[in-house]
Amino acid sequence: MMIARSTATPDRSVWSAIIPPLVIMAAAALLRLPIALAHPHAAALLFLWIASDAMMLGLIARHRRPGWRAGIAAMAMAGSAVLSLSPVPIRAALVDMPWALAVPVVAIGLHGGWGLWRVAERVRHWDARDPDRWGALLGEILPPPLARFAMAEARLLHLALFRWNGAPDVPPGTIGFAYHRYLQPMMIALLLLSCIEIGVTHLLIAHWNRTLAWMLFAISDVSLLYLVGLIKSLRLAPVLLTRTGVRIRAGILIDRIIPYEAIAEVTANPDGETVRAPGNWNVALLAWPNLMLRLETPLPPRSPWHGAPVQAIALRLDEPGRFLDELRARLVTRRVTGRS
């Protein structure tokens, strides 16, 4: 697991992955203009060129010399975007030009065929003990970021719908410290208020537009599932003292390891000025922290969108005294061992 990220701002690879989809969606929105619908063949060719160019330029920006498989995957994604996002008149005009569809269709076929062959190879060498087997299998067909997103969504839905009364995730050789007893009542109250808000909003909007009401109702139901998964994950993912460091967790939101060597001291009941100081990371969520880990040297920012290095971590645990004793004992042992 990565301890921290190494950049303070979104780097070129991040922007090169974000900008091409935005360009394609903007071009797809422009296809709804009257001038585009009046000249569907020209609009279809222009959209195909913009999508292919955006995907290939983004790929080249991320990898100076991308392999042929990456190029085929980029063209396949561009072709899929054109076929799925084009309005009906534009898509019909594109179908009328088979020569224009040759490259994206061939790219989609090659990418799909290669993915199916790789899937067959992974199934043939299936290892049921590998925890990442499903993600790797899905990654042979979908782009890696999309495959990771799909796996994360599947895990969250499984957690929200099927995992009830499960044991907290405390691996052998580690000590777990709960933090859910002060969070769960507030989150459950938020869940109940959300249920009331969903019902009232649905009834009000249904008098104006039933289609919009059902769309918002579906989105609200998915959000409720996410909230249920988050509430359950607070109990199932405690903070851990491992052999190498403190694993800071906050349900499905935060999961980060801080090595013991990086911790200068741990204190209880920090004041407000200390918690709100720049560079301090407050992971207590909805409550006031009762512990503060001061770091020996600042860690890189916790994400590309947080520019300040992490100098201290504030958290709240249900049993802060036991955590203090265990962590201080481990820090003393590490320092004594390091001197000897």
PDB file of all heavy atoms in Angstrom, residues 257-282:
ATOM      1  N   ILE A 257      -1.191   4.055   5.621  1.00  0.00           N
ATOM      2  CA  ILE A 257      -0.250   3.565   6.619  1.00  0.00           C
ATOM      3  C   ILE A 257       0.786   4.650   6.930  1.00  0.00           C
ATOM      4  O   ILE A 257       1.388   5.216   6.023  1.00  0.00           O
ATOM      5  CB  ILE A 257       0.453   2.284   6.137  1.00  0.00           C
ATOM      6  CG1 ILE A 257      -0.537   1.124   6.070  1.00  0.00           C
ATOM      7  CG2 ILE A 257       1.610   1.923   7.065  1.00  0.00           C
ATOM      8  CD1 ILE A 257       0.073  -0.176   5.612  1.00  0.00           C
ATOM      9  N   ILE A 258       0.970   4.919   8.223  1.00  0.00           N
ATOM     10  CA  ILE A 258       1.995   5.840   8.699  1.00  0.00           C
ATOM     11  C   ILE A 258       3.056   5.016   9.412  1.00  0.00           C
ATOM     12  O   ILE A 258       2.780   4.432  10.471  1.00  0.00           O
ATOM     13  CB  ILE A 258       1.407   6.898   9.656  1.00  0.00           C
ATOM     14  CG1 ILE A 258       0.184   7.569   9.037  1.00  0.00           C
ATOM     15  CG2 ILE A 258       2.462   7.915  10.023  1.00  0.00           C
ATOM     16  CD1 ILE A 258       0.466   8.314   7.755  1.00  0.00           C
ATOM     17  N   PRO A 259       4.278   4.921   8.902  1.00  0.00           N
ATOM     18  CA  PRO A 259       5.313   4.115   9.562  1.00  0.00           C
ATOM     19  C   PRO A 259       5.639   4.662  10.952  1.00  0.00           C
ATOM     20  O   PRO A 259       5.543   5.869  11.215  1.00  0.00           O
ATOM     21  CB  PRO A 259       6.514   4.234   8.618  1.00  0.00           C
ATOM     22  CG  PRO A 259       5.952   4.714   7.320  1.00  0.00           C
ATOM     23  CD  PRO A 259       4.750   5.526   7.651  1.00  0.00           C
ATOM     24  N   TYR A 260       6.035   3.756  11.836  1.00  0.00           N
ATOM     25  CA  TYR A 260       6.416   4.197  13.179  1.00  0.00           C
ATOM     26  C   TYR A 260       7.587   5.169  13.137  1.00  0.00           C
ATOM     27  O   TYR A 260       7.684   6.084  13.959  1.00  0.00           O
ATOM     28  CB  TYR A 260       6.785   2.980  14.035  1.00  0.00           C
ATOM     29  CG  TYR A 260       5.614   2.083  14.360  1.00  0.00           C
ATOM     30  CD1 TYR A 260       5.655   0.724  14.065  1.00  0.00           C
ATOM     31  CD2 TYR A 260       4.472   2.590  14.960  1.00  0.00           C
ATOM     32  CE1 TYR A 260       4.586  -0.105  14.362  1.00  0.00           C
ATOM     33  CE2 TYR A 260       3.399   1.772  15.259  1.00  0.00           C
ATOM     34  CZ  TYR A 260       3.461   0.419  14.953  1.00  0.00           C
ATOM     35  OH  TYR A 260       2.403  -0.395  15.237  1.00  0.00           O
ATOM     36  N   GLU A 261       8.502   4.972  12.171  1.00  0.00           N
ATOM     37  CA  GLU A 261       9.665   5.857  12.070  1.00  0.00           C
ATOM     38  C   GLU A 261       9.271   7.294  11.745  1.00  0.00           C
ATOM     39  O   GLU A 261      10.032   8.221  12.022  1.00  0.00           O
ATOM     40  CB  GLU A 261      10.637   5.346  10.996  1.00  0.00           C
ATOM     41  CG  GLU A 261      11.290   4.021  11.303  1.00  0.00           C
ATOM     42  CD  GLU A 261      10.380   2.832  11.044  1.00  0.00           C
ATOM     43  OE1 GLU A 261       9.268   3.055  10.497  1.00  0.00           O
ATOM     44  OE2 GLU A 261      10.761   1.699  11.404  1.00  0.00           O
ATOM     45  N   ALA A 262       8.097   7.477  11.144  1.00  0.00           N
ATOM     46  CA  ALA A 262       7.665   8.828  10.774  1.00  0.00           C
ATOM     47  C   ALA A 262       6.932   9.547  11.892  1.00  0.00           C
ATOM     48  O   ALA A 262       6.606  10.723  11.747  1.00  0.00           O
ATOM     49  CB  ALA A 262       6.767   8.762   9.534  1.00  0.00           C
ATOM     50  N   ILE A 263       6.652   8.879  13.021  1.00  0.00           N
ATOM     51  CA  ILE A 263       5.881   9.467  14.112  1.00  0.00           C
ATOM     52  C   ILE A 263       6.834  10.011  15.167  1.00  0.00           C
ATOM     53  O   ILE A 263       7.652   9.273  15.727  1.00  0.00           O
ATOM     54  CB  ILE A 263       4.929   8.435  14.734  1.00  0.00           C
ATOM     55  CG1 ILE A 263       3.957   7.912  13.669  1.00  0.00           C
ATOM     56  CG2 ILE A 263       4.157   9.053  15.898  1.00  0.00           C
ATOM     57  CD1 ILE A 263       3.067   6.790  14.156  1.00  0.00           C
ATOM     58  N   ALA A 264       6.727  11.313  15.454  1.00  0.00           N
ATOM     59  CA  ALA A 264       7.576  11.931  16.475  1.00  0.00           C
ATOM     60  C   ALA A 264       6.979  11.747  17.865  1.00  0.00           C
ATOM     61  O   ALA A 264       7.690  11.379  18.809  1.00  0.00           O
ATOM     62  CB  ALA A 264       7.754  13.419  16.182  1.00  0.00           C
ATOM     63  N   GLU A 265       5.682  11.977  18.019  1.00  0.00           N
ATOM     64  CA  GLU A 265       5.017  11.796  19.306  1.00  0.00           C
ATOM     65  C   GLU A 265       3.518  11.690  19.090  1.00  0.00           C
ATOM     66  O   GLU A 265       2.995  12.037  18.021  1.00  0.00           O
ATOM     67  CB  GLU A 265       5.323  12.961  20.247  1.00  0.00           C
ATOM     68  CG  GLU A 265       4.787  14.301  19.756  1.00  0.00           C
ATOM     69  CD  GLU A 265       4.952  15.400  20.785  1.00  0.00           C
ATOM     70  OE1 GLU A 265       5.127  15.069  21.969  1.00  0.00           O
ATOM     71  OE2 GLU A 265       4.884  16.584  20.408  1.00  0.00           O
ATOM     72  N   VAL A 266       2.831  11.209  20.093  1.00  0.00           N
ATOM     73  CA  VAL A 266       1.379  11.125  20.065  1.00  0.00           C
ATOM     74  C   VAL A 266       0.857  11.782  21.330  1.00  0.00           C
ATOM     75  O   VAL A 266       1.358  11.533  22.433  1.00  0.00           O
ATOM     76  CB  VAL A 266       0.908   9.658  19.951  1.00  0.00           C
ATOM     77  CG1 VAL A 266       1.511   8.788  21.031  1.00  0.00           C
ATOM     78  CG2 VAL A 266      -0.612   9.581  19.992  1.00  0.00           C
ATOM     79  N   THR A 267      -0.134  12.672  21.196  1.00  0.00           N
ATOM     80  CA  THR A 267      -0.682  13.403  22.322  1.00  0.00           C
ATOM     81  C   THR A 267      -2.200  13.228  22.335  1.00  0.00           C
ATOM     82  O   THR A 267      -2.819  12.914  21.316  1.00  0.00           O
ATOM     83  CB  THR A 267      -0.338  14.901  22.242  1.00  0.00           C
ATOM     84  OG1 THR A 267      -0.826  15.435  21.010  1.00  0.00           O
ATOM     85  CG2 THR A 267       1.167  15.111  22.309  1.00  0.00           C
ATOM     86  N   ALA A 268      -2.780  13.478  23.511  1.00  0.00           N
ATOM     87  CA  ALA A 268      -4.223  13.339  23.683  1.00  0.00           C
ATOM     88  C   ALA A 268      -4.874  14.707  23.781  1.00  0.00           C
ATOM     89  O   ALA A 268      -4.253  15.685  24.216  1.00  0.00           O
ATOM     90  CB  ALA A 268      -4.522  12.519  24.939  1.00  0.00           C
ATOM     91  N   ASN A 269      -6.138  14.777  23.380  1.00  0.00           N
ATOM     92  CA  ASN A 269      -6.993  15.957  23.512  1.00  0.00           C
ATOM     93  C   ASN A 269      -6.344  17.227  22.957  1.00  0.00           C
ATOM     94  O   ASN A 269      -6.054  18.177  23.691  1.00  0.00           O
ATOM     95  CB  ASN A 269      -7.374  16.172  24.987  1.00  0.00           C
ATOM     96  CG  ASN A 269      -8.112  14.983  25.557  1.00  0.00           C
ATOM     97  OD1 ASN A 269      -8.985  14.405  24.905  1.00  0.00           O
ATOM     98  ND2 ASN A 269      -7.757  14.597  26.772  1.00  0.00           N
ATOM     99  N   PRO A 270      -6.073  17.282  21.654  1.00  0.00           N
ATOM    100  CA  PRO A 270      -5.477  18.493  21.068  1.00  0.00           C
ATOM    101  C   PRO A 270      -6.465  19.656  21.106  1.00  0.00           C
ATOM    102  O   PRO A 270      -7.686  19.471  21.067  1.00  0.00           O
ATOM    103  CB  PRO A 270      -5.168  18.069  19.636  1.00  0.00           C
ATOM    104  CG  PRO A 270      -6.147  16.984  19.346  1.00  0.00           C
ATOM    105  CD  PRO A 270      -6.338  16.245  20.645  1.00  0.00           C
ATOM    106  N   ASP A 271      -5.916  20.880  21.172  1.00  0.00           N
ATOM    107  CA  ASP A 271      -6.784  22.055  21.189  1.00  0.00           C
ATOM    108  C   ASP A 271      -7.175  22.437  19.765  1.00  0.00           C
ATOM    109  O   ASP A 271      -6.663  21.908  18.776  1.00  0.00           O
ATOM    110  CB  ASP A 271      -6.101  23.224  21.897  1.00  0.00           C
ATOM    111  CG  ASP A 271      -4.739  23.553  21.301  1.00  0.00           C
ATOM    112  OD1 ASP A 271      -4.624  23.581  20.048  1.00  0.00           O
ATOM    113  OD2 ASP A 271      -3.786  23.765  22.062  1.00  0.00           O
ATOM    114  N   GLY A 272      -8.105  23.395  19.682  1.00  0.00           N
ATOM    115  CA  GLY A 272      -8.634  23.775  18.384  1.00  0.00           C
ATOM    116  C   GLY A 272      -7.609  24.380  17.461  1.00  0.00           C
ATOM    117  O   GLY A 272      -7.600  24.123  16.253  1.00  0.00           O
ATOM    118  N   GLU A 273      -6.714  25.218  18.005  1.00  0.00           N
ATOM    119  CA  GLU A 273      -5.690  25.843  17.167  1.00  0.00           C
ATOM    120  C   GLU A 273      -4.764  24.802  16.561  1.00  0.00           C
ATOM    121  O   GLU A 273      -4.365  24.899  15.401  1.00  0.00           O
ATOM    122  CB  GLU A 273      -4.906  26.853  17.998  1.00  0.00           C
ATOM    123  CG  GLU A 273      -3.880  27.643  17.192  1.00  0.00           C
ATOM    124  CD  GLU A 273      -3.159  28.667  18.048  1.00  0.00           C
ATOM    125  OE1 GLU A 273      -3.528  28.825  19.234  1.00  0.00           O
ATOM    126  OE2 GLU A 273      -2.236  29.301  17.530  1.00  0.00           O
ATOM    127  N   THR A 274      -4.448  23.791  17.324  1.00  0.00           N
ATOM    128  CA  THR A 274      -3.564  22.734  16.832  1.00  0.00           C
ATOM    129  C   THR A 274      -4.240  21.920  15.739  1.00  0.00           C
ATOM    130  O   THR A 274      -3.638  21.609  14.707  1.00  0.00           O
ATOM    131  CB  THR A 274      -3.153  21.815  17.991  1.00  0.00           C
ATOM    132  OG1 THR A 274      -2.506  22.581  19.001  1.00  0.00           O
ATOM    133  CG2 THR A 274      -2.201  20.726  17.505  1.00  0.00           C
ATOM    134  N   VAL A 275      -5.503  21.579  15.950  1.00  0.00           N
ATOM    135  CA  VAL A 275      -6.210  20.752  14.965  1.00  0.00           C
ATOM    136  C   VAL A 275      -6.374  21.489  13.647  1.00  0.00           C
ATOM    137  O   VAL A 275      -6.244  20.907  12.565  1.00  0.00           O
ATOM    138  CB  VAL A 275      -7.577  20.326  15.539  1.00  0.00           C
ATOM    139  CG1 VAL A 275      -8.416  19.624  14.474  1.00  0.00           C
ATOM    140  CG2 VAL A 275      -7.379  19.413  16.742  1.00  0.00           C
ATOM    141  N   ARG A 276      -6.641  22.800  13.714  1.00  0.00           N
ATOM    142  CA  ARG A 276      -6.918  23.560  12.502  1.00  0.00           C
ATOM    143  C   ARG A 276      -5.674  24.138  11.856  1.00  0.00           C
ATOM    144  O   ARG A 276      -5.772  24.849  10.853  1.00  0.00           O
ATOM    145  CB  ARG A 276      -7.907  24.680  12.816  1.00  0.00           C
ATOM    146  CG  ARG A 276      -9.321  24.187  13.115  1.00  0.00           C
ATOM    147  CD  ARG A 276     -10.282  25.352  13.256  1.00  0.00           C
ATOM    148  NE  ARG A 276     -10.059  26.081  14.502  1.00  0.00           N
ATOM    149  CZ  ARG A 276     -10.697  25.842  15.640  1.00  0.00           C
ATOM    150  NH1 ARG A 276     -11.599  24.879  15.693  1.00  0.00           N
ATOM    151  NH2 ARG A 276     -10.453  26.550  16.718  1.00  0.00           N
ATOM    152  N   ALA A 277      -4.511  23.870  12.385  1.00  0.00           N
ATOM    153  CA  ALA A 277      -3.275  24.419  11.828  1.00  0.00           C
ATOM    154  C   ALA A 277      -3.046  23.886  10.413  1.00  0.00           C
ATOM    155  O   ALA A 277      -3.399  22.751  10.102  1.00  0.00           O
ATOM    156  CB  ALA A 277      -2.090  24.063  12.726  1.00  0.00           C
ATOM    157  N   PRO A 278      -2.451  24.692   9.528  1.00  0.00           N
ATOM    158  CA  PRO A 278      -2.173  24.219   8.164  1.00  0.00           C
ATOM    159  C   PRO A 278      -1.253  23.002   8.182  1.00  0.00           C
ATOM    160  O   PRO A 278      -0.301  22.934   8.961  1.00  0.00           O
ATOM    161  CB  PRO A 278      -1.482  25.429   7.505  1.00  0.00           C
ATOM    162  CG  PRO A 278      -1.915  26.605   8.323  1.00  0.00           C
ATOM    163  CD  PRO A 278      -2.072  26.102   9.725  1.00  0.00           C
ATOM    164  N   GLY A 279      -1.550  22.047   7.355  1.00  0.00           N
ATOM    165  CA  GLY A 279      -0.743  20.842   7.281  1.00  0.00           C
ATOM    166  C   GLY A 279      -1.203  19.731   8.199  1.00  0.00           C
ATOM    167  O   GLY A 279      -0.671  18.625   8.118  1.00  0.00           O
ATOM    168  N   ASN A 280      -2.172  20.015   9.075  1.00  0.00           N
ATOM    169  CA  ASN A 280      -2.701  18.975   9.957  1.00  0.00           C
ATOM    170  C   ASN A 280      -3.916  18.322   9.286  1.00  0.00           C
ATOM    171  O   ASN A 280      -4.802  19.006   8.785  1.00  0.00           O
ATOM    172  CB  ASN A 280      -3.102  19.560  11.309  1.00  0.00           C
ATOM    173  CG  ASN A 280      -1.886  19.974  12.110  1.00  0.00           C
ATOM    174  OD1 ASN A 280      -0.750  19.724  11.715  1.00  0.00           O
ATOM    175  ND2 ASN A 280      -2.108  20.631  13.234  1.00  0.00           N
ATOM    176  N   TRP A 281      -3.935  17.017   9.306  1.00  0.00           N
ATOM    177  CA  TRP A 281      -4.972  16.238   8.631  1.00  0.00           C
ATOM    178  C   TRP A 281      -5.937  15.698   9.681  1.00  0.00           C
ATOM    179  O   TRP A 281      -5.566  14.880  10.515  1.00  0.00           O
ATOM    180  CB  TRP A 281      -4.314  15.107   7.853  1.00  0.00           C
ATOM    181  CG  TRP A 281      -5.256  14.278   7.046  1.00  0.00           C
ATOM    182  CD1 TRP A 281      -6.525  14.606   6.666  1.00  0.00           C
ATOM    183  CD2 TRP A 281      -5.009  12.980   6.514  1.00  0.00           C
ATOM    184  NE1 TRP A 281      -7.085  13.592   5.919  1.00  0.00           N
ATOM    185  CE2 TRP A 281      -6.172  12.580   5.813  1.00  0.00           C
ATOM    186  CE3 TRP A 281      -3.917  12.113   6.551  1.00  0.00           C
ATOM    187  CZ2 TRP A 281      -6.261  11.360   5.173  1.00  0.00           C
ATOM    188  CZ3 TRP A 281      -4.003  10.894   5.909  1.00  0.00           C
ATOM    189  CH2 TRP A 281      -5.171  10.530   5.223  1.00  0.00           C
ATOM    190  N   ASN A 282      -7.180  16.173   9.636  1.00  0.00           N
ATOM    191  CA  ASN A 282      -8.199  15.768  10.601  1.00  0.00           C
ATOM    192  C   ASN A 282      -9.020  14.636   9.988  1.00  0.00           C
ATOM    193  O   ASN A 282      -9.788  14.852   9.041  1.00  0.00           O
ATOM    194  CB  ASN A 282      -9.083  16.948  10.960  1.00  0.00           C
ATOM    195  CG  ASN A 282     -10.054  16.628  12.078  1.00  0.00           C
ATOM    196  OD1 ASN A 282     -10.086  15.506  12.593  1.00  0.00           O
ATOM    197  ND2 ASN A 282     -10.856  17.601  12.467  1.00  0.00           N
TER     198      ASN A 282
END
